[in-house]
Amino acid sequence: MQLYNTLSAKERAALIKEAGKDRLTISFYKYAHIGNTSIFRNHLFIHWNDLEVLGRIYVANEGINAQLSVPAENFGPFKEHLDSISFLENVRLNIAIEQDNLSFLKLKVKVRHKIVADGLNDKSFDVTNKGIHVGAEKFNELIEDPDTILVDMRNHYESEIGHFKNAITPDVDTFRDSLDIIEQDLADHKEDKKLVMYCTGGIRCEKASAYYKHKGFKQVYQLEGGIIEYTRQVTQKNLENKFRGKNFVFDHRRGERISEDVIAKCHQCGASCDEHVNCANEACHLLFIQCEACAEKMNNCCSDHCKEIHELPYEEQKALRKGKVVSNKIFKKGRSEVLKFKN
Ligand SMILES: [Zn+2]
Ligand SMILES: [Zn+2]
């Protein structure tokens, strides 16, 4: 029985194009106790592979976090399968606003220690004692309240291209870092202010809100379903949209436009731009913002150094990479000395 991918990303992209089927990009998560994660993982892989699901799914003892795409015509059976799993029955599905048939090219279902790398010791606080969940309408009200402190729980490269007006956007590389910084900054307001938080799809706030309550914050609120669900509700209920710019997403689209405002700058020339790219030098792969003019001038690279390497014959590039780790993929998202216009 096939339990893993057999096609390369390239072969898969060709197949998707050939099939010409429209795909839906979907994300969801659920905290739930999962006993045997490997059995559950294989169960999902077998069923979803049959339904031509592609994506990145993490399974852990604490639950599931999934970002995937499914052919529109298989959405019914896919939903039925979800509903057949007790803790996923009627789970909220975030459906992407801008559809892209190539958002994912492989089905990867991985067993992990946690579904979000939050760096928290869950035994040290009550993870079920969460903040008050609010929808878009209540959220809009709350964030205009002078007694509210609004915090963006995402990383710097995410909030850089889009965030709610008046939000504090910590300049952090990881979720764990932001937890400490926010706590220190707001230490004097644990009782008198309303701490309102949001993230992409809500998953990070599930833990963060419980963590802050544990740390003594008295009034903690979280945006239900994150920016994705907020946008859906704003459109559906015709509410005022208070989000500016793009919502960073973790598939190859990299961002969904929520408002027409472009709030970021090209990291190389400072021109107004909010298009994330990865440096074309495979040994670098730095995530940064680059305008079209700079992309052309720099041959899609982040620096002259990377441009030189990228322009070498492929075999020479490979020889240079041998034995080196691509550290940017993990540690240096969107940060480099050479990027003059990175805030
Ligand atoms: Zn530029
Ligand atoms: Zn580079």
Side-chain angles (χ1 to χ4, degrees):
M1 195 180 296
Q2 188 213 329
L3 288 174
Y4 293 92
N5 288 293
T6 48
L7 292 173
S8 73
K10 230 184 191 159
E11 291 167 323
R12 180 69 73 182
L15 274 181
I16 293 172
K17 280 209 176 108
E18 209 180 281
K21 287 181 205 165
D22 275 335
R23 302 185 71 91
L24 296 171
T25 303
I26 295 169
S27 61
F28 69 89
Y29 68 87
K30 185 79 185 184
Y31 279 103
H33 184 73
I34 300 172
N36 192 326
T37 47
S38 331
I39 289 179
F40 184 61
R41 181 260 165 214
N42 290 345
H43 173 77
L44 293 182
F45 190 93
I46 291 164
H47 281 81
W48 292 0
N49 195 45
D50 278 353
L51 294 172
E52 296 167 64
V53 172
L54 300 171
R56 196 170 45 235
I57 295 97
Y58 298 128
V59 171
N61 288 125
E62 67 174 10
I64 177 171
N65 184 10
Q67 290 165 58
L68 51 85
S69 82
V70 58
E73 62 185 34
N74 289 349
F75 180 75
F78 172 74
K79 179 79 175 83
E80 266 168 44
H81 179 247
L82 284 183
D83 286 341
S84 73
I85 301 165
S86 58
F87 62 88
L88 293 179
E89 197 180 348
N90 293 323
V91 65
R92 188 192 47 247
L93 300 177
N94 285 323
I95 298 177
I97 305 155
E98 297 169 359
Q99 291 302 332
D100 178 339
N101 288 345
L102 302 177
S103 54
F104 294 100
L105 296 174
K106 286 190 173 189
L107 176 59
K108 290 186 188 170
V109 189
K110 292 188 173 169
V111 173
R112 283 270 175 99
H113 178 55
K114 287 189 160 195
I115 55 174
V116 177
D118 54 25
L120 289 170
N121 175 6
D122 293 355
K123 294 202 173 73
S124 64
F125 65 105
D126 179 3
V127 293
T128 65
N129 183 22
K130 295 183 259 191
I132 300 168
H133 288 65
V134 294
E137 200 165 359
K138 176 77 183 161
F139 183 82
N140 274 355
E141 233 173 77
L142 269 174
I143 67 176
E144 298 297 339
D145 183 337
D147 283 331
T148 288
I149 300 177
L150 177 62
V151 181
D152 190 318
M153 293 309 301
R154 302 170 305 152
N155 299 330
H156 69 94
Y157 54 88
E158 300 172 86
S159 53
E160 187 175 4
I161 58 166
H163 53 78
F164 281 102
K165 70 175 204 188
N166 302 330
I168 298 173
T169 56
D171 184 27
V172 293
D173 293 313
T174 68
F175 178 65
R176 188 70 194 87
D177 289 347
S178 67
L179 287 173
D180 290 342
I181 289 176
I182 293 162
E183 198 207 339
Q184 281 161 21
D185 286 0
L186 306 181
D188 295 338
H189 298 291
K190 288 187 176 180
E191 303 204 354
D192 63 333
K193 295 278 187 193
K194 295 182 179 111
L195 177 59
V196 182
M197 61 183 78
Y198 68 92
C199 62
T200 313
I203 188 168
R204 283 176 267 192
C205 294
E206 294 282 336
K207 283 272 177 76
S209 66
Y211 181 77
Y212 286 125
K213 283 176 84 171
H214 166 72
K215 289 285 178 180
F217 286 89
K218 294 283 180 260
Q219 310 175 68
V220 181
Y221 297 83
Q222 63 192 93
L223 178 58
E224 164 97 35
I227 300 159
I228 302 175
E229 173 65 12
Y230 174 88
T231 308
R232 199 191 64 78
Q233 289 183 15
V234 159
T235 315
Q236 196 191 42
K237 300 180 183 170
N238 206 12
L239 306 171
E240 186 191 345
N241 171 31
K242 296 183 190 254
F243 189 91
R244 304 278 169 265
K246 269 182 170 175
N247 181 24
F248 187 96
V249 293
F250 294 86
D251 59 59
H252 104 134
R253 298 169 300 148
R254 297 201 184 94
E256 284 190 329
R257 183 157 297 291
I258 311 286
S259 86
E260 292 311 311
D261 316 76
V262 176
I263 66 165
K265 290 190 194 99
C266 168
H267 288 165
Q268 289 174 320
C269 74
S272 175
C273 176
D274 58 8
E275 199 62 35
H276 270 113
V277 297
N278 283 105
C279 176
N281 171 17
E282 280 182 43
C284 172
H285 212 255
L286 182 76
L287 179 76
F288 69 110
I289 299 175
Q290 186 177 47
C291 73
E292 273 176 35
C294 289
E296 196 169 318
K297 193 174 116 203
M298 297 299 292
N299 200 3
N300 304 307
C301 289
C302 77
S303 63
D304 292 327
H305 175 70
C306 282
K307 183 168 179 274
E308 270 168 39
I309 293 175
H310 181 54
E311 285 164 1
L312 291 172
Y314 190 68
E315 286 307 311
E316 268 180 62
Q317 289 185 44
K318 246 172 102 178
L320 278 175
R321 276 207 299 279
K322 217 172 163 209
K324 285 185 192 155
V325 236
V326 186
S327 59
N328 279 333
K329 271 191 179 165
I330 311 156
F331 297 111
K332 284 189 270 178
K333 270 198 179 128
R335 293 205 201 271
S336 165
E337 299 282 304
V338 296
L339 300 174
K340 295 193 188 69
F341 290 88
K342 167 71 188 164
N343 296 334

